[in-house]
Amino acid sequence: SQTIHQWPATLVQPVGSPLSLECTVEGTSNPNLYWYRQAAGRGLQLLFYSVGIGQISSEVPQNLSASRPQDRQFILSSKKLLLSDSGFYLCAWSVQSGAQYFGPGTRLTVT
Amino acid sequence: QKEVEQNSGPLSVPEGAIASLNCTYSDRGSQSFFWYRQYSGKSPELIMFIYSNGDKEDGRFTAQLNKASQYVSLLIRDSQPSDSATYLCALHDTGRRALTFGSGTRLQVQP
């Protein structure tokens, strides 16, 4: 069966500090991978998605970037965090059916 | 971008009643529709998906799709307090190979 991992689970970072969030998927090959952000009490905002190694599509211009160095690894990064980057970051995977399956998420607080 | 509209709620129903959650969408070309449940502080989990007009039942859950009227609904029979959560409607945007999510409806089941 497929499993998706995210770490860390929670993170408190000062403004201007760098960020690296990691997501890995087990039990499937060549998945589509996604990064979402959910602000408190808000809906899901798609940030990036990837259909293969090195292939990244950006949905919203901002100070975040994503990389996919391996088939089942997806990384979200920032060089300098803003207060507005606080939120619940969710990684998800899918195959051809379209249904997406979410990881447990990382709760980021920028102070 | 495709739009998905949901009433934010909260929708309050007594225990044992039927909860009806509705979702409308703007793109007539959308083919795949999904319902997710999200407990407070947790990541969304897939409940059901539906591709064809009509009803699809899975246990206490029934998804209904009407492509002509561009709405999809989720019925929860014999609602339980454990069903209290936010329910997210999503559709598959084939152009982006991603899902577009509504902002969710918060359901409260009163014991």
Side-chain angles (χ1 to χ4, degrees):
Chain A
S1 64
Q2 298 86 7
T3 309
I4 179 169
H5 304 278
Q6 285 187 248
W7 63 90
T10 60
L11 193 58
V12 180
Q13 293 283 97
V15 168
S17 63
L19 173 73
S20 181
L21 303 180
E22 190 163 342
C23 169
T24 59
V25 181
E26 297 176 356
T28 186
S29 295
N30 196 30
N32 295 334
L33 296 174
Y34 309 85
W35 278 112
Y36 290 87
R37 178 171 62 202
Q38 188 175 38
R42 306 292 295 276
L44 294 170
Q45 179 187 28
L46 179 64
L47 301 175
F48 301 94
Y49 68 95
S50 171
V51 299
I53 296 174
Q55 301 178 62
I56 309 295
S57 296
S58 175
E59 285 291 305
V60 182
Q62 53 200 315
N63 67 320
L64 300 172
S65 62
S67 62
R68 185 170 177 175
Q70 300 180 43
D71 181 45
R72 289 170 287 179
Q73 183 185 30
F74 205 21
I75 297 172
L76 182 70
S77 304
S78 175
K79 293 182 179 178
K80 289 185 178 182
L81 284 169
L82 307 173
L83 284 174
S84 57
D85 290 324
S86 294
F88 192 35
Y89 286 81
L90 292 156
C91 181
W93 70 273
S94 75
V95 289
Q96 297 304 319
S97 68
Q100 292 182 10
Y101 302 91
F102 288 86
T106 295
R107 193 161 303 279
L108 171 67
T109 303
V110 182
T111 60
Chain B
Q1 181 177 344
K2 279 85 172 170
E3 293 187 353
V4 180
E5 298 289 335
Q6 294 183 259
N7 188 318
S8 62
L11 173 66
S12 184
V13 300
E15 183 174 355
I18 296 175
S20 178
L21 303 159
N22 299 310
C23 171
T24 59
Y25 60 94
S26 61
D27 181 22
R28 288 190 172 275
S30 298
Q31 297 294 322
S32 308
F33 303 86
F34 305 85
W35 282 101
Y36 288 80
R37 177 176 61 198
Q38 185 176 23
Y39 291 112
S40 180
K42 302 296 185 181
S43 61
E45 55 181 326
L46 181 68
I47 301 175
M48 293 187 70
F49 57 85
I50 186 167
Y51 300 151
S52 304
N53 274 329
D55 295 359
K56 179 181 178 182
E57 187 174 319
D58 183 0
R60 295 187 297 112
F61 298 96
T62 299
Q64 299 175 318
L65 175 60
N66 184 322
K67 290 185 179 181
S69 300
Q70 295 175 245
Y71 81 80
V72 58
S73 61
L74 180 70
L75 302 179
I76 307 175
R77 290 182 300 281
D78 188 23
S79 295
Q80 301 297 309
S82 58
D83 294 325
S84 298
T86 296
Y87 289 80
L88 303 170
C89 172
L91 58 82
H92 188 217
D93 183 343
T94 54
R96 293 158 69 229
R97 302 195 201 186
L99 298 184
T100 298
F101 285 85
S103 57
T105 297
R106 188 157 64 94
L107 173 66
Q108 295 178 339
V109 181
Q110 307 295 333

